[in-house]
Amino acid sequence: DLPGTYALSAYSPEEVYVRRHIIDDPPDIIVNTVVASNLERNLYLTTELIDISPKMVIALNMYDELEASGAKFDHEALGEMIGIPMIPVVAPSGRGLEELLDAIIAVHENRDKRVRHIHIGYGSIIEENLEPLNADMRQHRDELIAHFPPRYFALKLIEGDKEVESLLESSPHKERWIKMATMARTEIETALGEDIETALSNQKYGFISGALKETYEAAERKRNTLSDKLDAIVTHRIWGFPIFFA
């Protein structure tokens, strides 16, 4: 739950720091803090962590704000869908913290039946070009960091992630894998007509959107509130200009 950490890419110091920490000092379990009132944006990091496949529990913080808004969210159903327990939490009041600790212990001890590993589906074009590299890396699993799956490394190589390339510096197959990744990236970008980062990002947001469509119902926005009435005055096509200048 570090500021500025919305993904595990190599584009910001915060994100690089978090990824290095998970690589260099792998935690027994990850508690992924998600702001419940802004699910779509905050679940993006969750999709990145799913690719790494750690033991994980999601703390749905500020859950009181989601409830106060009138939105309906079946967090149990979404947790089962993605194979990760999701626990509503309100940190300032301590609500849900005992349940969170119980879930952490159960997941760590392999007792939580909700836990299962899933893959984020990236669509047929990406998957078809990803699989040959993934299969080749699986055959040489001993050359990779033990607690990261080959699929994760394959994805990052196709993205052209320099940090991940440096992690494979001592691998005898590094050059072959980079060549395969470059060919896969070219095929994907040509077929989809967009760069690989955008393509993967779109697929992840599509996954999140689809999951929330089945489990989340936004609150109906009340019309004619005081804010709406003030907006109608200050943005009026005639009176708006003198009010603005005043």
Side-chain angles (χ1 to χ4, degrees):
D1 185 29
L2 294 177
T5 306
Y6 297 101
L8 291 178
S9 61
Y11 301 122
S12 78
E14 297 89 353
E15 291 169 359
V16 169
Y17 174 83
V18 172
R19 191 168 68 181
R20 281 181 184 166
H21 181 73
I22 295 171
I23 291 168
D24 297 338
D25 189 15
D28 297 318
I29 190 165
I30 288 175
V31 180
N32 174 204
T33 307
V34 171
V35 178
S37 57
N38 192 359
L39 287 168
E40 189 156 359
R41 182 186 185 194
N42 285 274
L43 284 172
Y44 189 86
L45 177 59
T46 305
T47 65
E48 299 262 280
L49 289 166
I50 285 172
D51 284 340
I52 294 175
S53 188
K55 288 185 176 181
M56 181 162 56
V57 174
I58 293 174
L60 290 167
N61 199 20
M62 299 168 68
Y63 202 79
D64 53 338
E65 289 191 10
L66 182 145
E67 292 173 323
S69 74
K72 295 177 183 177
F73 179 39
D74 190 344
H75 62 87
E76 287 284 355
L78 181 56
E80 288 185 16
M81 194 184 300
I82 63 176
I84 304 167
M86 304 183 85
I87 314 298
V89 169
V90 182
S93 69
R95 173 186 161 192
L97 293 186
E98 283 195 27
E99 292 86 344
L100 179 62
L101 287 170
D102 287 343
I104 290 167
I105 293 166
V107 170
H108 182 254
E109 295 180 348
N110 300 314
R111 291 188 287 106
D112 197 310
K113 294 180 180 177
R114 292 170 291 187
V115 175
R116 63 190 179 92
H117 179 60
I118 66 165
H119 287 310
I120 305 296
Y122 291 107
S124 59
I125 292 171
I126 294 176
E127 292 291 345
E128 285 168 11
N129 286 281
L130 168 66
E131 186 48 36
L133 178 56
N134 182 27
D136 198 85
M137 297 184 91
R138 278 201 307 268
Q139 289 180 5
H140 305 282
R141 187 73 178 82
D142 57 318
E143 296 177 25
L144 306 175
I145 294 170
H147 51 278
F148 276 38
R151 180 180 167 91
Y152 174 77
F153 284 107
L155 273 168
K156 289 298 173 184
L157 285 182
I158 290 173
E159 277 188 73
D161 192 308
K162 298 301 180 187
E163 280 272 322
V164 167
E165 286 183 19
S166 67
L167 290 174
L168 300 173
E169 196 63 48
S170 60
S171 169
H173 294 87
K174 178 189 174 184
E175 294 307 319
R176 185 172 86 190
W177 289 340
I178 290 176
K179 187 177 179 181
M180 291 176 71
T182 303
M183 289 175 63
R185 180 165 62 249
T186 303
E187 289 285 337
I188 292 167
E189 291 181 340
T190 301
L192 297 179
E194 58 188 359
D195 63 82
I196 187 66
E197 291 89 352
T198 302
L200 290 171
S201 178
N202 286 342
Q203 292 294 333
K204 284 176 181 172
Y205 276 117
F207 172 83
I208 295 166
S209 179
L212 289 178
K213 193 172 183 179
E214 294 185 37
T215 58
Y216 177 77
E217 185 180 327
E220 266 189 50
R221 186 170 176 271
K222 294 178 181 177
R223 299 291 175 182
N224 296 319
T225 62
L226 178 60
S227 177
D228 291 323
K229 290 171 183 175
L230 288 172
D231 283 347
I233 296 169
V234 298
T235 62
H236 191 276
R237 63 193 183 91
I238 296 174
W239 301 116
F241 287 103
I243 290 171
F244 171 75
F245 285 115

